Amino acid sequence: MANVQLAKNLWSMKFKAPEIIEEYFGAGQFISILVCDTWEHPLRRPMSIADVKGDCISIIYKTVGAVTKSLAKMHPGDSINVLGPLGNTFTGWEDGRDSILVGGGVGLAPMLNLHKMVKTSTIIIGARTSEEHFLSHSPQEGIFLTTDDGSIGIRGTVIPTLESQVMSKQNPKIFACGPEPMLKAVQSFALENQIPTQLSVESYMACGIGICQGCAIKKTEKEGIMRQTYHEKYDLVCVNGPVFSAEEVTFD
Amino acid sequence: MTDLRIKIGDITFSNPVFTASGTFGYGTEVSDLTDVSKLGAIVTKSVTLFPREGNPPPRVVETPAGMINSIGLANVGVERYIREMIPLYDNIGTKVIMNIAGTTLEEYCDVLEKVEVISSNICGYEINISCPNVKKGGMQFGVDSSMTEALTAEMRKRTERLIIMKLSPNVTDITSIAKAAENGGADAVSAINTVVGMSIDSETGKSQIYTTYGGLSGPAIKPIGLATVHKVYQSVNIPVIGLGGITTGLDAVEYLLAGAVAVQVGTATFRHADAGEQIINELHQFGDSKSIEKISSLTGAVKTYTK
Ligand SMILES: Cc1cc2nc3c(=O)[nH]c(=O)nc-3n(C[C@H](O)[C@H](O)[C@H](O)COP(=O)(O)OP(=O)(O)OC[C@H]3O[C@@H](n4cnc5c(N)ncnc54)[C@H](O)[C@@H]3O)c2cc1C
Ligand SMILES: Cc1cc2nc3c(=O)[nH]c(=O)nc-3n(C[C@H](O)[C@H](O)[C@H](O)COP(=O)(O)O)c2cc1C
């Protein structure tokens, strides 16, 4: 229905998907897209749901490789095959005053989705330069942009801004989705400061519905795990996630 | 309308399209996306004696016209399989073939014995002697004909149900392994399991799969599967079940012509969970358009230039 460029390498696509909306139950869930039915790109591509309005769904995607680039070339009237909604949701965000959302790049979609649910929450969006941002830096409204080069918003990674926002809340909670280095940094900050945190993680996926066992993510090691177990050491991002608490998962 | 029924051992299947092990879970997970009862049979994920976590990620990567996986046989283990999955088969509406994997002969036997003593809807066992992704594993059996024969014979002693030995293409002479399975008393063989493959990201210089090598599947391996099925068909008298890269009814027809009595659909189900159902429809269309009375008449009917 619409396919527009938001910023450098960042696009938004909106399309009709009433059947998916019927089963949709919240921010964090994703869909899996097959752009064309030839075998040039065998696997579906997972994409978080960025917005649900009427009978339309939006995604926000970064053009990183062949499939996302071909997605950017699509026009109203073209069709794609979509499987979903898949995965779980963020939880416990209802009190916006305490909720801090952190996103960037490929992880922008679920955070903007959540931000629409809790307008009073604070959102921090990281990028390398101003070219990759499309919102405006407006701290009064709780929207903070950061850039590595300081070309817009606050210079640096999202972490210093996250720190100062955490300080200003009574019972801060963090919700984050983005590139792995960002998630790692948010996770270690959260664990050090014992702040309840949920991370939406990524993993290479084949089926998206829990049958291929492909999208494993390492769980934080627990004491007393027996040698021969199933899903004690690894979870599946597609059905157990993509949202995990910061204590649950380990990045390598 | 073409009669799609086929027979393996004493068992008649409603059609020759089965799911492939590891690509359809335990057979009950996707019932909201496809009508499982339409399928000729489902073949379950490999089940081992003890639960298995599987390999560290990354476990899957896309490759040209295919994918590489190195799941490492992640599965619930036979006890939980019996407790939680088998009861669900009572109302599944299709035939169930349980796939078994192990690292020693005893392990295969233990799994089979545990399932044999309970009553269930399982009509047969597919024995995975060809998984490329576990260090110590079935693969030792799959490359050695005397071990294949011994394992098949041990399974045969313990069950009246169908025994299907699943063959690996990663061997020098697959026909000798197929013959060994036949000599051991197998009702059928299935071929092929995945082909050893590797994928490298030139940008980062990294191997894309944790275990470096994994199993290639999808259309990329179809020609290998066809050749293998044709060779095996010519060397044994038991039925051959063909798989590797089947995504359409016409792919299935090619496998039947090469010598298969039935086919399995794997990677294609990751794109469309109802791929098997579609393939059955396409087989019907093909049969009608060519006025084929029985689909089983296609088996081995390929015309080759030389004998
Ligand atoms: C749960 C989840 C939600 C996601 N949500 C978004 C989102 O909202 N917006 C967004 O821009 N991106 C999102 N991604 C990432 C997105 O799926 C990849 O960027 C996309 O698949 C790249 O495809 P490509 O062909 O353009 O690139 P390629 O060149 O094929 O791949 C580039 C990189 O993308 C990743 N990738 C490729 N194929 C897959 C696959 N089948 N499954 C998972 N990752 C893959 C790999 O890391 C790979 O190295 C999400 C991923 C997951 C797992
Ligand atoms: C993700 C994945 C997991 C698999 N797991 C198993 C398994 O547990 N046991 C087995 O015998 N084969 C397993 N296979 C192999 C398939 O059953 C099949 O032999 C192979 O994929 C070729 O068929 P295809 O090209 O239609 O996928 C697996 C394949 C894939 C892609």
Side-chain angles (χ1 to χ4, degrees):
Chain A
M1 279 193 89
N3 193 19
V4 295
Q5 184 160 14
L6 299 174
K8 190 181 172 201
N9 300 334
L10 203 61
W11 288 70
S12 162
M13 184 183 273
K14 184 177 167 187
F15 49 86
K16 262 200 182 131
E19 282 137 339
I20 288 172
I21 293 168
E22 226 166 77
E23 289 175 35
Y24 169 76
F25 59 97
Q29 284 199 290
F30 64 100
I31 55 176
S32 203
I33 296 181
L34 198 56
V35 173
C36 72
D37 220 343
T38 68
W39 280 79
E40 198 180 336
H41 293 288
L43 300 181
R44 288 176 176 272
R45 296 298 198 269
M47 289 288 162
S48 298
I49 295 173
D51 194 17
V52 171
K53 215 178 264 154
D55 59 359
C56 286
I57 279 183
S58 304
I59 56 170
I60 294 174
Y61 60 98
K62 195 170 170 184
T63 47
V64 294
V67 172
T68 47
K69 281 175 191 157
S70 70
L71 209 52
K73 294 203 185 92
M74 301 199 75
H75 301 287
D78 294 345
S79 69
I80 52 174
N81 183 298
V82 181
L83 175 70
L86 306 171
N88 65 357
T89 65
F90 290 104
T91 54
W93 40 261
E94 292 77 6
D95 190 350
R97 285 165 311 176
D98 287 332
S99 297
I100 306 166
L101 322 185
V102 185
V106 291
L108 211 49
M111 303 330 299
L112 292 179
N113 194 358
L114 192 55
H115 189 61
K116 279 186 197 111
M117 308 294 298
V118 261
K119 288 265 170 24
T120 49
S121 62
T122 301
I123 185 165
I124 307 167
I125 302 169
R128 275 187 297 254
T129 71
S130 63
E131 285 179 307
E132 298 171 354
H133 277 301
F134 64 95
L135 294 173
S136 40
H137 182 64
S138 19
Q140 331 64 278
E141 290 163 48
I143 301 174
F144 297 83
L145 306 187
T146 71
T147 45
D148 293 351
D149 63 358
S151 52
I152 189 175
I154 302 160
R155 187 193 192 114
T157 72
V158 293
I159 299 299
T161 310
L162 176 61
E163 259 182 275
S164 65
Q165 284 308 305
V166 161
M167 302 286 280
S168 73
K169 311 277 181 201
Q170 230 156 25
N171 299 299
K173 282 184 192 170
I174 304 171
F175 303 87
C177 183
E180 198 165 298
M182 176 197 260
L183 290 184
K184 261 191 198 166
V186 171
Q187 183 190 40
S188 62
F189 170 78
L191 294 180
E192 252 163 53
N193 298 282
Q194 300 191 338
I195 300 157
T197 295
Q198 291 167 20
L199 309 171
S200 176
V201 306
E202 277 185 19
S203 169
Y204 215 109
M205 272 180 198
C207 76
I209 52 178
I211 54 179
C212 77
Q213 304 277 337
C215 58
I217 178 152
K218 200 163 176 195
K219 292 171 94 160
T220 306
E221 264 177 53
K222 289 200 198 92
E223 303 267 323
I225 285 196
M226 292 186 307
R227 205 163 51 89
Q228 280 148 328
T229 54
Y230 175 72
H231 287 193
E232 301 278 330
K233 266 176 80 179
Y234 300 107
D235 261 336
L236 298 181
V237 172
C238 72
V239 288
N240 305 119
V243 181
F244 294 93
S245 75
E247 295 83 24
E248 270 179 293
V249 292
T250 305
F251 300 104
D252 282 326
Chain B
M1 206 154 91
T2 310
D3 182 355
L4 291 193
R5 286 173 305 173
I6 56 109
K7 223 172 151 185
I8 299 173
D10 291 333
I11 298 189
T12 302
F13 295 84
S14 64
N15 67 67
V17 182
F18 304 175
T19 60
S21 177
T23 63
F24 212 68
Y26 300 99
T28 54
E29 293 92 332
V30 293
S31 48
D32 53 335
L33 294 174
T34 182
D35 183 355
V36 176
S37 73
K38 293 260 167 64
L39 297 163
I42 53 159
V43 180
T44 70
K45 174 77 191 163
S46 284
V47 178
T48 52
L49 186 55
F50 298 108
R52 286 180 60 97
E53 286 288 347
N55 293 331
R59 292 179 178 178
V60 289
V61 67
E62 178 179 282
T63 58
M67 63 178 282
I68 294 176
N69 88 81
S70 181
I71 307 297
L73 296 179
N75 82 94
V76 296
V78 70
E79 302 281 353
R80 195 167 145 198
Y81 175 75
I82 290 173
R83 241 183 8 254
E84 294 175 19
M85 315 300 171
I86 286 188
L88 301 175
Y89 297 152
D90 288 346
N91 303 313
I92 198 162
T94 185
K95 300 215 152 38
V96 179
I97 296 169
M98 177 191 179
N99 181 298
I100 299 178
T103 49
T104 61
L105 199 131
E106 292 72 33
E107 247 181 79
Y108 282 99
C109 292
D110 282 357
V111 175
L112 188 125
E113 280 171 3
K114 282 182 197 295
V115 180
E116 273 297 295
V117 295
I118 55 160
S119 82
S120 75
N121 227 354
I122 290 172
C123 78
Y125 304 98
E126 183 178 63
I127 312 300
N128 179 0
I129 53 166
S130 49
C131 183
N133 300 327
V134 284
K135 276 213 192 73
K136 215 179 84 191
M139 199 58 201
Q140 288 161 295
F141 292 93
V143 299
D144 182 314
S145 21
S146 58
M147 280 171 84
T148 298
E149 183 169 339
L151 175 63
T152 313
E154 289 302 320
M155 303 274 100
R156 183 74 288 163
K157 266 190 229 160
R158 289 169 170 78
T159 184
E160 310 254 281
R161 291 177 171 143
L162 292 183
I163 299 276
I164 302 161
M165 302 303 282
K166 183 166 182 181
L167 309 179
S168 167
N170 308 310
V171 296
T172 32
D173 178 18
I174 197 162
T175 60
S176 65
I177 312 282
K179 281 184 203 145
E182 182 176 36
N183 291 339
D187 296 290
V189 290
S190 51
I192 53 176
N193 207 320
T194 53
V195 179
V196 170
M198 180 173 182
S199 173
I200 301 171
D201 183 336
S202 55
E203 196 57 39
T204 61
K206 272 192 190 164
S207 159
Q208 303 260 74
I209 291 282
Y210 182 86
T211 53
T212 310
Y213 313 122
L216 179 62
S217 64
I221 67 168
K222 195 182 88 174
I224 300 172
L226 282 172
T228 308
V229 165
H230 190 246
K231 283 184 192 168
V232 171
Y233 170 72
Q234 289 180 306
S235 63
V236 296
N237 294 311
I238 50 176
V240 185
I241 301 171
L243 74 156
I246 296 176
T247 72
T248 66
L250 298 184
D251 292 336
V253 167
E254 291 174 29
Y255 267 94
L256 298 178
L257 291 170
V261 296
V263 297
Q264 296 178 6
V265 183
T267 303
T269 48
F270 297 155
R271 286 159 69 96
H272 300 289
D274 63 352
E277 244 185 292
Q278 297 303 338
I279 288 170
I280 295 166
N281 293 340
E282 288 162 16
L283 273 184
H284 269 300
Q285 284 163 19
F286 179 83
D288 290 347
S289 72
K290 301 262 182 196
S291 307
I292 293 164
E293 208 172 305
K294 288 182 169 82
I295 204 80
S296 57
S297 67
L298 294 181
T299 296
V302 62
K303 298 174 197 126
T304 55
Y305 290 96
T306 54
K307 193 85 184 41

